[in-house]
Structures are given as C-alpha cells and as structure tokens.
Amino acid sequence: MNAKHAAGRKAFEVAFNGVYKFINKDREKNLVKLMNLARKVAGKNFPDYFWDNADEILGNPEEKWTQMIYNALERLHPNVIKQHVLNMGYEAGLTGFKKVRENREKYGCNVPWVILMDPTSACNLKCTGCWAAEYGHQLQLTNEELDRIITEAKELGIHFFVLTGGEPMVRKKDILMLAEKHNDCAFHIFTNGTLIDEPFCKEVQRLGNLSFAVSVEGYEETNDDRRGPGVYQKVMNALELMKEYGLLYGVSICYTSKNYQVVTSDEFLQMLVDKGAILAWFFHYMPVGKDASTDLLLSPEQREYMVKRVRFVRSRKCPIKLFTLDFQNDAEFVGGCIAGGKNYLHINPNGDVEPCVFIHYSNVNIKEHSLLECLQQPLFMQYHDNMPFNDNQLRPCPMLENPEMIKKMVEASGAKSTDMQVPEPVDDLIAKTIPYAENWKPTADKLWNERQEEIKEIQRARDEKYGK
C-alpha cells in the first residue's frame, strides 16, 4: 500500500469512526452522514440517482432496507462492521473498483473485481452431485501461492476474494493467516458450515474481514439426504454460533427442479433470517461433469418462478429482511455474464485459471504464470472480445443459454479441459445444455421484453422526480 493510498484509507477510517461512535444516538442522521462520506470518496463511480435513492431510503426509518441496516448494527460485532466498511466499502468498492477499471484500459483485457479460488479440493463431506467433488481430494494451493495471488491482485486493484473448494474450512488456520496478513482485503467463504467452532469464531471476530455463505438446500430431510446424516443440525448450530459472535454471514443455495419452491418459501427464508442470515446466494443447477444429471435442470416455468420470486423477496414490498442474489437470473444488474475476468474468475486447487467456477477450461496455470498473464490468456481474451453473449440478460451464460458460444471460444482459444477426474470435451458439455437453451429462449424473451417496458416506466418516473 503506497503512502498516498494509506493516508486516504486512514482519513476514511477516522471519518468513519467519528460517525460510527455516535451511530446509535441518531441512526437516521448518522447513516446519511456515512452515505455522504462514501459519496465523497466514490466520485463518479456511481450515478447520481444511486446516491439519491440511498438517501431517500436511509431517511425513512420504516423502510425495509433501513430496518435491515439497523438490525445489522445491533447484531454485528463493531470490529466486523468496521473492517467490512473499510475493506469491502473503501478498498474494494470505492478506490479498488476505480483502479480495476483503469487497469482494464491500461492492459486491454478483463480485470476482475473479485477472485474466487479453491485453497483445497479436500472436503469432510461427500455430497451427492457436488461439482467440486470432480476434482478429487489431493490438490491444494500452497500458502505461498495464495499469498502471491492476493499480492498480485491488490496491485491491480482487487481487494475481494471468495474461497470455495472442496471445503475451504479444512484449511481454516491458513485462511486466518491470510486474512490477518492481508488485512486490507475482504474474504468471503463458501462453506458447508460443519467445521465452524467457537475458537474459530473468536478469531474471525478479532480479524473482522471474513464473511460466510453456508450451504443449505432445504429442511433437514432434504439437506441430509444429499449431504449426510446430521449435517443440517451442524449447520444450524454453526449459524447460531456465528450469530452469538456477531459475524457477517448468509447462505448459499443451489436450486433445482426438485427443491426450488421449498428453498424460496416464506417459512424457509424467515427461518434463515431468524438464524441471523443477512444474505442468500441462489445458484442455478449446472450439469457440469461427465455424470451430471440433466433431470435437475429447471423447466421454463420453474425458472420463470425463480426469476420473479427472488426479485420479490429482495423488493421493498416483501417483509422478509433478507438480501437475495441469483447468480443466473440477476445478470442484468451486472451487465450480463461476469466470468472470464470481466468481474470474476476462478482458480481451481490445481492452479488452473478458469473463466467461471462452472466452466472447466483454461489455457494457463497460476503456478506457472502471473495473474496478469492469466488474464491475458487466449480463452479470457475470447470472453473479452465476445461479451455480452446475448442482449437478453436472462440468457447470459455461454454454456447454459448460449452453448454455441462456449464451443466457439474453447475451440478458438485451444483451451483444455481442466476436469481432473475425466476431461470433458466441450461437445459433450453442450450436448446437455442445448435442449435447455432452446426450451428456455421463448420464456426468457417474453420476460425480457416485459422487463424493458418496466425499466422504461422506472426511468420516466425517475426523470419526472428529478426534473430531467
């Protein structure tokens, strides 16, 4: 961290501390002060209406999102709040994002905002149908390799890292070491939750810069049928323990044709909120790997339900205080597919740098190349040159909804399969997704056209409100 940046961070920290110290004495007034501080630092990173909407929401104590912030201020440990404001807010969201955009121009390639990487392929569970299980259990990135990746990433402006696996908590001592060394970064851990214990929670509270997404896919019977007897109760215990220590966490849910209604029901989501979850990641089932079933893929009607349901739960109309994100169906809010380094990439435990956690092809390995060289690999440049893959952002993915594109890019780049069990030729992969893409297209096009009309109405109302 150079002296100028360090001074800027320190000034932001001092300003934040000054407001946060009195936050509970007048929440409405001091939250607006915090928003004004962020606006001053962010400059032109976000449009004016973003800040105007934020001011309007924070100025209403009865607003759902304001109530969620109040709840977080009450439940989260002060150090967890402070470190996430500094690392996710200042480092990653404000100054880091600006530097990332500058480096995209400088190097003529995609530079991500977040890096997802697998410290290990090992896992203490054997979940049915887990894509990570395809990697086996003997691979890992060393502490030196993880440290180098993070160091090189920070030079590019990247300060947000997501750790998956395998089960990353198999290496929780190493994760704590990395989080302490790189205390200007935020780390988000996707975990099965069974290895979270009290000593670990104490360390996370002390460090403050780690958050969690705990996998859960329904109630006890459904969850344990896939993950093993007793896992559901261990997960519930982990959520209660993290709540007790004031940690920041949510859940990760893979939805399929079998469970999509249960995992989005009012009762299930409210139970998660009661357990302290602040956010819920929803992931569309992907038929990755040689033996992956296509029976779990959603029908067009089922996916339409998910599009509307997740957005409703997230809306101000829904009383459930949970921030929901759908990795597949929310593409319009991030400009389409975010893979290939556009906003994120995946490094598997063998070191292969892949465009997406679900697309197992690559030209390079991080153990042999710098991070910048990996971003400039032929497959990633194919992503850079061909994005977006579809103007309809309810059909964003080059594998699931535009299978001809992943075939084109893999063949043009000469990328190799990185599946470490059985290499999967791209023609075999898309044979499973072509029928899905064809079936989804008519419904997706209908929904997208409806959405465009909705956006026009929102824009007209916004222009009228702000006098444009």
Side-chain angles (χ1 to χ4, degrees), residues 7 37 50 62 144 168 307 310 391:
L37 174 63
F50 171 86
E62 303 305 317
E144 291 75 20
V307 171
V310 171
D391 291 334

Side-chain angles (χ1 to χ4, degrees), residues 59-79:
N60 180 4
E62 303 305 317
E63 163 66 43
K64 169 181 174 176
W65 295 107
T66 307
Q67 286 292 314
M68 287 182 66
I69 294 172
Y70 288 176
N71 291 344
L73 288 170
E74 290 175 359
R75 190 186 72 73
L76 297 179
H77 189 272
N79 191 48

Side-chain angles (χ1 to χ4, degrees), residues 146-391:
L146 291 166
D147 179 48
R148 178 175 67 84
I149 293 168
I150 296 169
T151 299
E152 292 183 9
K154 289 196 292 185
E155 292 173 358
L156 294 171
I158 306 161
H159 286 79
F160 185 29
F161 301 90
V162 175
L163 304 181
T164 58
E167 170 50 52
M169 290 288 290
V170 169
R171 294 182 60 189
K172 56 187 175 182
K173 289 183 180 179
D174 296 332
I175 290 172
L176 291 173
M177 180 272 293
L178 285 168
E180 182 153 27
K181 180 174 182 179
H182 297 281
N183 59 6
D184 57 344
C185 295
F187 296 87
H188 190 55
I189 318 297
F190 279 81
T191 173
N192 62 42
T194 61
L195 299 177
I196 293 174
D197 56 23
E198 191 162 7
F200 178 75
C201 288
K202 288 181 179 178
E203 281 296 284
V204 173
Q205 186 189 82
R206 179 180 68 85
L207 294 170
N209 60 339
L210 295 106
S211 59
F212 303 86
V214 180
S215 297
V216 58
E217 291 166 17
Y219 291 109
E220 189 166 10
E221 182 179 356
T222 302
N223 201 77
D224 287 1
D225 182 59
R226 179 169 183 251
R227 296 183 175 273
V231 170
Y232 179 83
Q233 193 54 54
K234 289 180 180 178
V235 169
M236 294 300 107
N237 292 342
L239 296 180
E240 291 286 358
L241 191 57
M242 290 192 290
K243 183 178 182 180
E244 178 184 343
Y245 277 86
L247 307 188
L248 177 60
Y249 59 91
V251 294
S252 170
I253 301 171
C254 175
Y255 59 88
T256 72
S257 60
K258 308 298 183 186
N259 74 345
Y260 73 100
Q261 287 185 312
V262 171
V263 297
T264 56
S265 67
D266 284 356
E267 297 77 13
F268 183 73
L269 296 178
Q270 187 58 52
M271 179 272 292
L272 296 175
V273 172
D274 293 341
K275 292 289 184 180
I278 290 176
L279 60 89
W281 288 98
F282 285 93
F283 293 92
H284 188 293
Y285 170 76
M286 294 289 194
V288 176
K290 181 187 175 188
D291 298 321
S293 170
T294 57
D295 293 341
L296 295 176
L297 287 167
L298 282 74
S299 69
E301 295 76 20
Q302 291 169 338
R303 183 165 174 185
E304 179 176 359
Y305 173 89
M306 285 299 299
V307 171
K308 294 178 178 178
R309 177 61 181 165
V310 171
R311 294 185 184 195
F312 173 73
V313 173
R314 188 169 60 225
S315 75
R316 296 156 77 173
K317 298 177 182 178
C318 179
I320 299 171
K321 296 180 175 66
L322 185 70
F323 184 57
T324 52
L325 306 96
D326 190 316
F327 190 73
Q328 203 69 23
N329 294 326
D330 282 340
E332 72 168 281
F333 304 110
V334 288
C337 174
I338 64 172
K342 178 186 175 184
N343 274 318
Y344 105 112
L345 57 80
H346 177 236
I347 304 174
N348 73 21
N350 192 46
D352 299 307
V353 183
E354 304 168 334
C356 175
V357 71
F358 300 114
I359 295 183
H360 300 165
Y361 299 92
S362 180
N363 294 107
V364 296
N365 192 290
I366 196 69
K367 298 179 181 182
E368 301 165 354
H369 296 270
S370 70
L371 178 59
L372 181 57
E373 289 171 336
C374 292
L375 290 168
Q376 295 170 330
Q377 66 167 293
L379 181 57
F380 278 35
M381 293 309 297
Q382 283 290 315
Y383 269 77
H384 177 271
D385 295 342
N386 285 285
M387 287 177 150
F389 303 116
N390 202 302
D391 291 334

Side-chain angles (χ1 to χ4, degrees), residues 4 6 30 33 59 79 117 316 325 372-373 407 426 439:
K4 182 179 179 181
N30 287 314
K33 282 186 177 180
N79 191 48
M117 52 190 177
R316 296 156 77 173
L325 306 96
L372 181 57
E373 289 171 336
K407 175 180 171 65
V426 70
N439 289 337

